[in-house]
Amino acid sequence: MAMNWQAGGEGPAHGGYAAWEAAAEAAQGGADRLVPVLARLVPPPGGGMDLAGAIAATLALPGVDFARHERDLLETERAQAGAGWPAYQVRLVAYAPRALLAAPPPFWQVLRLGPGLRPGEAPPPPEPPRDLCRLAGRLSPDVPVMAVIDEGIGYLNARFRAAPDRTRFLGVWLMADERRPQGPVGPWGDIRLGRVLTGAEIDAQLAAGGTEADQYAQVNRALYPPPVRAATAQRVGHGTHVLDLACGAGMAEPMARVPILAVQLPPASIRESAGRRMEAHLVQGLRWILAEVLRLSDGNRVPPVVVNLSIGSLAGPGDATEFLAEWIGHEIDRHSRLAPGAEVRITGAYGNARLSRLAARAEARIGRPMVLDWRLLPDDGTASFLEIRVDAAMAPGLALAVQPPPGSGLPPLTVTWPAAPGCWWLHDGGRGPVGLASFEVEKGGQALCLLALAPSCPDPRAARAAPGLWRIEVATKVNEPVRVIARVQRDDTPMGHAPAGRQSWLDHREGWGWDPELRSYVQPLPQAGCPVTPQGTAVAYAGIELPQVYVVGALRPAGAGWRPSAFSAEGAQVLRRPGESAGPSLSAPGEAGPVLGGIAASGILTGSRVRMAGTSMAAPAVARRLLEMFRAAPPRDLAAEHAALVGAGNWTTAPDPRRGHGVLI
């Protein structure tokens, strides 16, 4: 039976990505999954409930599950809430059945859904929540805390010890995909994804003897059953490398006094590099880190914390309204509100996608549509996503056309861009969705069209999208030119994981000229009509407008100086939207040179040495400098901090699209 595109009625309640994930899970028998719900508390219609009451009602919801630190954060907020509804927001992360999402509690505003997870074993009875600001911890307020959210955290490595038998880790959360913690329920049994190892448990592993590899294997067997990849069973760990660059030290060095918190992301969120699986985990990890800093501190005497995020995705509007950028800002504000004077710094990688042909921007005019040649590779084991954004006021005058590869047998789609949210589905019977075109309006004033395609791997049990050239056209009927910005999501499988995803990309038949920097024909030619561009290739949260957050570009040696690495993302210049990232905060070394290409740092096991290149290696250089500053003499204010990072007088007002406001060497 021939397949046809079908209108899906009203737009997806929680966005196109969530709708795609729900449809794919349903086709695979995943209706029993819990869903991470990221929400804020709001006054219910009709009133009659203040914030404290909403928190109490939230914690008492039947069938809704919370991690221990989430209960503690809600209790801390309740203790400070007072009467009525304050001007600030209170947010939460809960695990709820999909059935609840059809009619969520009236005092919840759902902001984002994470990927579903199977409930696994029954959770332990929840312990009473605690007010984190009333606990008496042991952290010195004068010694900063280093935190990292990444993969492959070598928590037994001697680079992270204060003594041969004593770790610097206060705790490491080893997230897992769908399994609950194994063994007896203890103070850390109330974690819903994986388990947390405390500093005392890591010390016990060090004291028990045996090799580091054997110790990792014992933990990994419970959390990551084959064929799931256990990151600490590998030679190279991205998170270990990053953490060593940020705060690794010999036991006699001053940096060895800096305590560490770490979150190891679950394998699936790394393996599927599109980043959608990652967002909910990043938020949960950041909330756990800041909750732990409060728990381990003494009242309001809270030490500074530097959190490194050398990870991210291209999804989102690219400005301060992007989900992760906005949520990071919320967490920084909440932390300083609960503990006045507490300092948080975030360092993040600006992105490595400059040369990946994943971004395009052009003006659509009457008779001259924006044309995208989207190439989907064969044997791609993961879904592919393309985001197209226009100013919401211009959307009603546009039409979208999707033409599948010739000979594929799949039908084309031509629709007028709707003024209200809506979606069109291409289904393959009971095997799941082949394609989705979802339309919605974002709060930043952008109209978003999300195009999703199923994996192209032949699989008789699952829907399959045809590989080849998918031609996408955005045409306009209005006289004004319409700015159109498109981004392809990451889709390749990172190094070390079993091959699954293959990166789709944007092409143009006459659009490539000579690039003198790379010595090849890879330079996009706008004059030939090629909309593909290296501009606007930063991670989605790079548009965050907070001076406490540093998104860092990469440099490489060039003669006696330094120049931007060819792969390091470039800020938007042509057809730039207001608020869109114009360049990194600053830049730092991300590769060592043309022969020894990467920055050297530790592998997973003590004594191992590996080289890695990227903006992921530049970001921890800034984190390390911040730690040194907080340990020595904290700057008077953020302006002084910026000057100390790049040298007095070197922090420019407007960022260079590749170097940022300055250079840290």
Side-chain angles (χ1 to χ4, degrees):
M1 185 175 64
M3 289 185 281
N4 289 295
W5 292 87
Q6 301 290 333
E10 296 182 1
H14 306 292
Y17 284 106
W20 178 266
E21 289 162 0
E25 285 177 11
Q28 298 166 8
D32 62 334
R33 297 192 177 199
L34 294 177
V35 182
V37 181
L38 289 74
R40 61 173 290 203
L41 296 178
V42 295
M49 177 182 285
D50 61 9
L51 175 59
I55 292 173
T58 292
L59 291 173
L61 286 169
V64 178
D65 202 7
F66 296 91
R68 174 63 187 270
H69 66 276
E70 283 293 333
R71 291 182 179 275
D72 289 346
L73 286 171
L74 286 171
E75 174 62 20
T76 306
E77 294 278 19
R78 189 198 63 78
Q80 298 191 11
W85 284 88
Y88 59 80
Q89 294 185 18
V90 171
R91 299 190 179 188
L92 58 94
V93 179
Y95 302 98
R98 286 203 182 273
L100 178 77
L101 301 176
F107 42 88
W108 279 18
Q109 179 188 1
V110 176
L111 303 176
R112 185 61 60 94
L113 302 179
L117 61 135
R118 296 195 184 279
E121 61 192 56
E127 299 179 25
R130 306 161 295 185
D131 182 346
L132 295 171
C133 291
R134 291 185 178 273
L135 302 178
R138 58 184 174 82
L139 287 180
S140 167
D142 301 319
V143 180
V145 176
M146 180 63 211
V148 65
I149 305 176
D150 215 300
E151 76 146 353
I153 309 293
Y155 53 86
L156 298 174
N157 196 303
R159 295 287 292 171
F160 313 126
R161 297 185 207 170
D165 59 349
R166 192 172 80 251
T167 185
R168 293 160 55 196
F169 279 95
L170 304 170
V172 54
W173 182 359
L174 305 175
M175 289 183 170
D177 295 333
E178 298 178 339
R179 293 167 65 89
R180 296 193 184 279
Q182 306 297 303
V185 174
W188 297 101
D190 211 1
I191 285 288
R192 296 297 179 258
L193 293 173
R195 65 173 295 187
V196 169
L197 289 175
T198 66
E201 288 174 313
I202 296 174
D203 286 346
Q205 290 188 37
L206 295 174
T211 66
E212 291 176 21
D214 288 341
Q215 296 280 12
Y216 289 132
Q218 291 180 29
V219 174
N220 291 338
R221 274 194 293 270
L223 292 176
Y224 311 116
V228 178
R229 176 186 184 270
T232 51
Q234 316 302 315
R235 172 176 172 265
V236 179
H238 189 273
T240 303
H241 195 276
V242 164
L243 192 57
D244 192 25
L245 293 174
C247 70
M251 297 169 199
E253 298 176 26
M255 189 64 75
R257 290 191 59 212
V258 173
I260 302 169
L261 285 164
V263 175
Q264 180 172 279
L265 294 168
S269 72
I270 300 296
R271 182 177 65 249
E272 297 184 17
S273 56
R276 266 288 302 173
R277 298 189 66 94
M278 193 184 300
E279 288 179 340
H281 297 131
L282 285 174
V283 167
Q284 292 176 74
L286 182 57
R287 288 172 69 82
W288 174 79
I289 286 167
L290 297 181
E292 281 300 280
V293 172
L294 293 178
R295 185 181 74 85
L296 296 170
S297 302
D298 186 4
N300 289 330
R301 291 169 51 81
V302 178
V305 57
V306 179
V307 185
N308 191 87
L309 304 175
S310 282
I311 208 156
S313 76
L314 286 176
D319 58 23
T321 67
E322 190 272 334
F323 170 76
L324 197 54
E326 198 268 344
W327 198 298
I328 287 172
H330 166 79
E331 293 299 326
I332 293 174
D333 291 343
R334 177 187 59 80
H335 192 69
S336 61
R337 173 170 51 80
L338 295 179
E343 298 280 9
V344 179
R345 299 292 183 270
I346 307 288
T347 55
Y350 196 59
N352 304 328
R354 181 173 176 270
L355 303 178
S356 300
R357 301 187 184 183
L358 303 182
R361 54 184 65 217
E363 282 187 332
R365 298 174 181 267
I366 294 177
R368 198 175 73 191
M370 182 196 203
V371 180
L372 296 172
D373 288 346
W374 184 19
R375 292 198 179 274
L376 185 68
L377 298 183
D379 294 323
D380 184 358
T382 57
S384 298
F385 302 99
L386 171 65
E387 295 183 347
I388 304 173
R389 284 181 171 80
V390 300
D391 295 333
M394 308 298 291
L398 300 179
L400 173 78
V402 179
Q403 180 65 51
S408 66
L410 297 176
L413 171 69
T414 301
V415 295
T416 298
W417 198 301
C423 58
W424 279 258
W425 291 92
L426 182 63
H427 277 280
D428 184 6
R431 297 197 296 178
V434 175
L436 167 67
S438 170
F439 298 86
E440 57 191 282
V441 178
E442 300 174 316
K443 61 183 178 182
Q446 291 289 289
L448 165 66
C449 171
L450 171 68
L451 295 176
L453 295 175
S456 63
C457 281
D459 186 343
R461 301 164 299 175
R464 175 179 181 263
L469 190 153
W470 289 71
R471 175 151 291 173
I472 316 297
E473 290 192 10
V474 180
T476 181
K477 299 178 182 179
V478 299
N479 291 324
E480 288 185 72
V482 180
R483 175 178 52 207
V484 186
I485 300 174
R487 288 191 184 92
V488 175
Q489 274 270 37
R490 285 284 303 275
D491 186 30
D492 53 332
T493 301
M495 178 185 67
H497 291 263
R502 302 190 68 198
Q503 183 64 59
S504 64
W505 53 286
L506 300 175
D507 197 6
H508 192 279
R509 58 185 177 185
E510 297 176 353
W512 309 105
W514 181 256
D515 187 317
E517 180 180 356
L518 298 176
R519 311 297 294 174
S520 61
Y521 290 96
V522 294
Q523 180 67 44
L525 296 176
Q527 63 270 29
C530 179
V532 184
T533 176
Q535 297 181 22
T537 47
V539 293
Y541 64 84
I544 190 169
E545 297 175 348
L546 288 174
Q548 302 99 320
V549 179
Y550 299 92
V551 281
V552 187
L555 301 172
R556 64 174 298 176
W562 295 79
R563 71 180 183 190
S565 297
F567 55 75
S568 188
E570 184 174 341
Q573 303 163 71
V574 176
L575 299 176
R576 178 174 174 265
R577 283 185 48 240
E580 194 176 3
S581 174
S585 305
L586 71 166
S587 49
E591 52 181 334
V595 178
L596 299 177
I599 303 292
S602 182
I604 292 286
L605 301 179
T606 296
S608 62
R609 200 77 166 162
V610 297
R611 288 182 176 270
M612 301 180 75
T615 55
S616 290
M617 282 63 254
V622 177
R624 193 177 193 99
R625 184 68 60 85
L626 289 169
L627 291 172
E628 292 168 346
M629 290 161 53
F630 278 122
R631 286 186 62 252
R636 301 181 307 277
D637 52 35
L638 285 164
E641 181 175 304
H642 297 165
L645 284 171
V646 301
N650 293 334
W651 186 275
T652 61
T653 302
D656 179 87
R658 297 181 66 186
R659 293 176 178 267
H661 293 278
V663 172
L664 184 155
I665 300 298

